[in-house]
Amino acid sequence: MDSVVLQTTVDELLATFSGYVTNVIGFLVGFLATYLIGKFVLVPLIRRVLKRRGFDRTVLSLGDSVMSAVVVVLALSIGFMSAGFPRFLTAAATLGGALALAIGFAAQDLIGNFVAGIFIIKDKPFEVGDWIEWDGNAGRVEDIDLRVSRVRTFDNERITVPNGDLANNAITNPVAYDTLRQKFVFGIGYDDDIDHATDCILEEAEDVDGILSDPAPSVRVTELGDSAVGLQSRFWIDDPSRADFVGIRSEYVQGVKERFDDEGIDMPYVHRQLTGEVEVLESVADGVAGEQSVEATGNGSSD
């Protein structure tokens, strides 16, 4: 009788062990098959598709990371299914959903910046190396990450900007196109000849190498100020950058100023003249005289 019970127990243990071994083998076969197919077939295929559509390295790297994570999750799921644990998958999915919901509420800004980074990479409002202006700041883009972008200011400072700020606010990209128009207002005196001053401004623009002749520079009267007539010069520069913009503008303005000096054209500045008179009230004057009289009397009695 004891031998029969022992034999039954051994058979049950062997059956249980055999079942575990079968489950482990099923898991390994399902996991490895799915992982290898995804790693060497699916990921390269997605990368090839993205590359054919002209996406840059940032998008390709993002695609590799996302697809690698998807392949691992898919391999684990198929591995557990092959091992015969569908209930484990259901529980894991429920737990994962709850965990994702909690993380989503706790990291709304982080997720928002992550999504904004994806849209910045996709829409390309600016690229690495561009000079941008936003919210009173300006600088050259050094790096675009999924969460933040790094900008070097023209004072050689680094600003780390959350992508949500760049995606949700207006951004000026002066170097987005091949040419850039600039404007500067020169003030001349009311007694000066506007046509002669205009010719001088245009001739100086022609002498600056960085200013394009097509489109040609132009000058318009834009304002009649308190002490000067404003002539706005509009000129275009090619292949703009911050250094070109500052250098060309400085050379041009200096040339016009020196030309005006040679031609006797006045560049007046604002004058302030204070007019009026000083009035002393009679009551105040009488009060001051009374105080002086009291002080004189006091000094006399002490002597």
Side-chain angles (χ1 to χ4, degrees), residues 249-300:
R249 182 187 180 96
S250 176
E251 180 182 355
Y252 177 44
V253 173
Q254 180 178 347
V256 173
K257 172 62 171 60
E258 294 174 351
R259 179 67 179 276
F260 279 3
D261 292 341
D262 295 339
E263 298 290 337
I265 299 175
D266 187 24
M267 299 185 71
Y269 50 87
V270 178
H271 296 275
R272 295 285 187 266
Q273 182 177 1
L274 299 178
T275 60
E277 59 184 8
V278 178
E279 181 179 356
V280 180
L281 298 178
E282 184 177 355
S283 59
V284 177
D286 292 342
V288 173
E291 291 177 358
Q292 292 177 350
S293 176
V294 171
E295 290 178 359
T297 302
N299 294 332

Side-chain angles (χ1 to χ4, degrees), residues 43-63:
V43 173
L45 178 62
I46 297 298
R47 183 179 180 84
R48 193 177 299 112
V49 171
L50 294 176
K51 194 171 184 179
R52 285 183 178 177
R53 296 197 174 187
F55 290 101
D56 55 19
R57 293 181 178 179
T58 306
V59 178
L60 296 178
S61 177
L62 174 63

Side-chain angles (χ1 to χ4, degrees), residues 206-234:
E206 294 175 356
D207 293 338
V208 178
D209 293 335
I211 296 180
L212 297 176
S213 58
D214 184 20
S218 62
V219 178
R220 297 288 186 272
V221 178
T222 56
E223 59 183 77
L224 299 175
D226 296 335
S227 59
V229 177
L231 302 181
Q232 185 184 79
S233 173
R234 303 178 181 182

Side-chain angles (χ1 to χ4, degrees), residues 2-300:
D2 293 337
S3 60
V4 174
V5 173
L6 180 60
Q7 183 65 35
T8 303
T9 303
V10 171
D11 292 340
E12 290 178 354
L13 291 176
L14 290 175
T16 303
F17 179 76
S18 176
Y20 287 149
V21 171
T22 302
N23 291 337
V24 171
I25 293 175
F27 174 82
L28 292 176
V29 171
F31 177 83
L32 291 176
T34 306
Y35 180 79
L36 294 176
I37 293 174
K39 186 69 174 179
F40 296 103
V41 178
L42 183 60
V43 173
L45 178 62
I46 297 298
R47 183 179 180 84
R48 193 177 299 112
V49 171
L50 294 176
K51 194 171 184 179
R52 285 183 178 177
R53 296 197 174 187
F55 290 101
D56 55 19
R57 293 181 178 179
T58 306
V59 178
L60 296 178
S61 177
L62 174 63
D64 289 343
S65 300
V66 172
M67 289 309 303
S68 296
V70 170
V71 166
V72 172
V73 173
L74 186 62
L76 287 173
S77 301
I78 293 180
F80 280 113
M81 291 179 62
S82 300
F85 295 111
R87 294 182 179 179
F88 175 83
L89 291 178
T90 303
T94 303
L95 180 61
L99 183 61
L101 183 61
I103 294 176
F105 279 113
Q108 293 182 16
D109 293 338
L110 182 63
I111 295 175
N113 290 327
F114 181 85
V115 175
I118 294 176
F119 279 104
I120 288 175
I121 294 173
K122 175 182 177 296
D123 298 335
K124 295 183 178 180
F126 55 85
E127 298 179 355
V128 174
D130 285 354
W131 155 34
I132 64 172
E133 299 175 352
W134 81 101
D135 196 24
N137 299 303
R140 190 177 304 280
V141 180
E142 284 192 326
D143 181 45
I144 303 174
D145 204 348
L146 288 177
R147 189 180 66 84
V148 297
S149 295
R150 297 171 182 84
V151 180
R152 174 180 289 186
T153 68
F154 300 110
D155 294 328
N156 203 32
E157 299 173 335
R158 172 179 287 182
I159 301 179
T160 302
V161 189
N163 286 330
D165 293 345
L166 298 177
N168 298 325
N169 294 312
I171 298 176
T172 301
N173 189 346
V175 296
Y177 303 105
D178 295 335
T179 58
L180 176 67
R181 190 181 75 172
Q182 290 296 301
K183 296 180 288 186
F184 191 87
V185 177
F186 297 97
I188 65 173
Y190 275 89
D191 295 332
D192 293 316
D193 188 349
I194 294 178
D195 293 334
H196 180 51
T198 299
D199 292 338
C200 294
I201 294 173
L202 293 177
E203 290 174 3
E204 289 301 318
E206 294 175 356
D207 293 338
V208 178
D209 293 335
I211 296 180
L212 297 176
S213 58
D214 184 20
S218 62
V219 178
R220 297 288 186 272
V221 178
T222 56
E223 59 183 77
L224 299 175
D226 296 335
S227 59
V229 177
L231 302 181
Q232 185 184 79
S233 173
R234 303 178 181 182
F235 57 95
W236 294 80
I237 61 177
D238 189 19
D239 192 17
S241 68
R242 175 74 178 191
D244 294 338
F245 159 71
V246 174
I248 293 173
R249 182 187 180 96
S250 176
E251 180 182 355
Y252 177 44
V253 173
Q254 180 178 347
V256 173
K257 172 62 171 60
E258 294 174 351
R259 179 67 179 276
F260 279 3
D261 292 341
D262 295 339
E263 298 290 337
I265 299 175
D266 187 24
M267 299 185 71
Y269 50 87
V270 178
H271 296 275
R272 295 285 187 266
Q273 182 177 1
L274 299 178
T275 60
E277 59 184 8
V278 178
E279 181 179 356
V280 180
L281 298 178
E282 184 177 355
S283 59
V284 177
D286 292 342
V288 173
E291 291 177 358
Q292 292 177 350
S293 176
V294 171
E295 290 178 359
T297 302
N299 294 332

